[in-house]
Amino acid sequence: MRDRTLYTADWVLPISSAPIRDGAVMVQAGRIEFVGAASAVPVTPGAMRTVALGNAVLMPGLVNAHSHLELTLLRGFLEGLDFRDWLRTLTTVRRDLMTESVLLDASRAGIREALRNGITCLADTTDSGAPLTAMREYGVRGVGYLEVFGPDPVQCDGAIAQLTARVLEARAQDTPLVRVGVSPHAPYTVSRELFAATAALSRRESLPMAVHVAESPAEMLFVRDGAGPFADRLRARDIAVAPQAESPVALLEVTGVLAAQPLLIHVIQADDRDMARIADAGASIVHCPISNAKLGHGIAPLDRMLAHGIRTGLGTDSVASNDRMDLLGEARQATLFHSVRAGTPDALSAHAALALATRGGADALGLGSRIGTLDVGKDADLAAFPLDHDDAQPLFDPAVALVHALAGKVEATLVTVAGRELVVHGVLTQRDETLPLRVGAWRDRLQRWRQASTG
Ligand SMILES: [Zn+2]
């Protein structure tokens, strides 16, 4: 029998039950064996190591339900571009410069940032597959959704054959923590045929699926009216464009995508009928409030998602459209936007926001039986954050302090995934001393590329 570890903290937030003052979590063989008051820890045979976290909050590891780890090294590079130029520059730099080793380093840098921010699980959409390698290297939990593109129906068969080969090869390397999935990118980059074929692949092979959908007004115009900038771009490439459905979410319904119960990314341009479609299908949503705001796409109707009982988590999106991978910051932004929409204070409480960042994300990924709350029998994915920062005093409620006072100011002092300690005393246990140098060299290459491309 492997030894136990007992983590004690001034506050334990199980999420599934009320906060515990002077709490403890006992872990054995990667699983949670006890959650409760430190004074009530059961006496058990065998050795037990105690880790006293002190004035800190111990909670489930955060679930970042939407990231693009391979874009971590584009932080700040696409600043100020409108969405089409943002996408175009991203695609060009990706093609011209981002080799496998760059994509892998970007993914590593992203995971290190995730861990410092108490994130233990990532739902990552990826063109290259490098994030899957990096997730396995670091021991985090996650899904890597391999992206497929192809707005021209004639590309469908080739694209799906290539995706199928890639995903089946990647699946051979699945572990209990890291799984591969598929992601038909978005309505303006994927034909109806390719949506239908990818959904069929997802169902046939039981592959998790994620789709960017209902993100921008331009996407709505493209799907509903066959008009706008996305339509112009495709017509310029001699690809026929016609009105497809009354909304992007309706398009996913008629192409069979919703029936495969995907994770829907963004869902800003969606009305109550769309929410009913999503709820009826049993699909889930990841809400990315900061990326949505930064790109000027709007405030997603989180209130409607929750009213329809849709499984909903929080995501940062890439740091190219956010600059931070800080899920506590997303939780704070979610509460602020929710209050703005509702016109009342505290429409989404700090406790509810932390639940979205943990249990909500876990449920949205179909992992709710294993992670997302501190409950006996679940995997020990834990994060602890310090509460002794001066800027959080006086402190009455640890959830309010974490979401409203400390988000963006504190880093995790402890992170475990399935019981394995990945951050100890605020330091990552996996070292990579030369990564900052490699990132610096990459920055110089990017800078030269920009100078060359702007003449
Ligand atoms: Zn995204």
Side-chain angles (χ1 to χ4, degrees):
M1 188 181 282
R2 291 235 299 270
D3 290 349
R4 295 180 172 84
T5 302
L6 183 72
Y7 298 98
T8 63
D10 284 9
W11 286 99
V12 169
L13 292 190
I15 301 296
S16 52
S17 55
I20 302 163
R21 186 83 220 240
D22 296 320
V25 175
M26 188 159 69
V27 174
Q28 186 185 27
R31 298 242 169 143
I32 297 171
E33 218 178 39
F34 169 85
V35 181
S39 59
V41 174
V43 179
T44 49
M48 184 158 72
R49 182 175 71 111
T50 298
V51 176
L53 298 162
N55 190 2
V57 58
L58 178 61
M59 60 183 294
L62 304 174
V63 178
N64 186 357
H66 183 49
S67 60
H68 296 259
L69 289 167
E70 65 197 4
L71 303 183
T72 304
L73 297 187
L74 294 180
R75 188 192 333 260
F77 187 68
L78 306 170
E79 192 67 21
L81 299 177
D82 77 44
F83 192 47
R84 273 173 306 143
D85 288 338
W86 187 95
L87 275 174
R88 190 163 35 224
T89 309
L90 173 61
T91 309
T92 314
V93 79
R94 168 89 179 72
R95 185 194 60 212
D96 289 359
L97 285 188
M98 298 188 86
T99 59
E100 275 303 307
S101 68
V102 170
L103 294 161
L104 193 53
D105 272 348
S107 305
R108 289 170 176 144
I111 290 171
R112 296 180 77 82
E113 183 170 356
L115 287 170
R116 286 193 296 273
N117 284 288
I119 293 164
T120 52
C121 179
L122 295 130
D124 194 77
T125 50
T126 167
D127 188 20
S128 71
L132 286 156
T133 305
M135 286 195 271
R136 286 192 297 266
E137 267 182 24
Y138 272 86
V140 296
R141 190 183 301 272
V143 185
Y145 304 90
L146 293 182
E147 289 178 314
V148 62
F149 301 83
D152 189 339
V154 304
Q155 299 167 302
C156 179
D157 289 350
I160 206 72
Q162 206 179 31
L163 176 68
T164 305
R166 287 181 68 210
V167 81
L168 294 182
E169 187 190 334
R171 190 161 66 177
Q173 298 179 65
D174 273 4
T175 69
L177 292 178
V178 180
R179 272 189 88 181
V180 69
V182 291
S183 178
H185 175 255
Y188 50 89
T189 52
V190 172
S191 65
R192 294 168 77 92
E193 291 79 358
L194 187 52
F195 267 131
T198 311
L201 173 66
S202 161
R203 297 183 75 164
R204 189 172 69 240
E205 297 290 340
S206 299
L207 293 161
M209 179 163 59
V211 192
H212 292 84
V213 71
E215 183 176 7
S216 62
E219 179 189 329
M220 173 64 88
L221 207 57
F222 173 75
V223 170
R224 193 187 53 205
D225 304 328
F230 289 125
D232 295 344
R233 240 175 100 190
L234 293 186
R235 289 197 179 101
R237 291 169 58 190
D238 284 329
I239 298 171
V241 177
Q244 299 193 72
E246 66 180 45
S247 70
V249 172
L251 173 65
L252 298 189
E253 184 177 49
V254 298
T255 49
V257 172
L258 278 193
Q261 301 187 321
L263 173 68
L264 303 177
I265 305 158
H266 298 300
V267 194
I268 305 166
Q269 315 290 328
D271 62 15
D272 245 17
R273 279 175 304 178
D274 288 327
M275 292 301 172
R277 289 181 174 106
I278 295 166
D280 290 348
S284 57
I285 294 177
V286 50
H287 176 45
C288 306
I290 293 178
S291 172
N292 295 346
K294 190 163 191 231
L295 292 174
H297 288 149
I299 301 176
L302 176 63
D303 48 350
R304 305 313 303 155
M305 299 171 194
L306 299 179
H308 280 269
I310 298 166
R311 294 173 289 131
T312 302
L314 295 179
T316 58
D317 210 340
S318 78
V319 297
S321 63
N322 183 323
D323 301 72
R324 298 182 182 208
M325 200 200 285
D326 169 17
L327 213 66
L328 293 177
E330 302 295 331
R332 178 163 202 245
Q333 195 62 57
T335 70
L336 300 179
F337 280 156
H338 211 65
S339 290
V340 168
R341 277 179 60 86
T344 59
D346 216 26
L348 181 77
S349 71
H351 285 268
L354 287 183
L356 288 177
T358 52
R359 181 174 57 196
D363 287 343
L365 300 182
L367 295 172
S369 64
R370 293 180 59 190
I371 57 166
T373 63
L374 302 184
D375 281 303
V376 172
K378 283 199 176 180
D379 288 4
D381 288 19
L382 309 176
F385 296 94
L387 292 174
D388 56 0
H389 198 296
D390 285 346
D391 296 358
Q393 313 309 321
L395 192 150
F396 301 99
D397 179 322
V400 173
L402 208 52
V403 170
H404 287 298
L406 292 174
K409 292 191 179 182
V410 291
E411 293 186 345
T413 50
L414 171 83
V415 175
T416 72
V417 174
R420 187 173 155 211
E421 293 180 346
L422 304 183
V423 173
V424 175
H425 300 305
V427 178
L428 272 74
T429 51
Q430 181 154 330
R431 290 161 180 266
D432 187 346
E433 270 89 4
T434 62
L435 184 60
L437 300 176
R438 305 198 303 271
V439 172
W442 165 252
R443 184 222 166 263
D444 295 344
R445 273 178 70 197
L446 267 184
Q447 187 79 323
R448 285 196 299 273
W449 180 86
R450 171 126 65 196
Q451 279 158 0
S453 62
T454 55

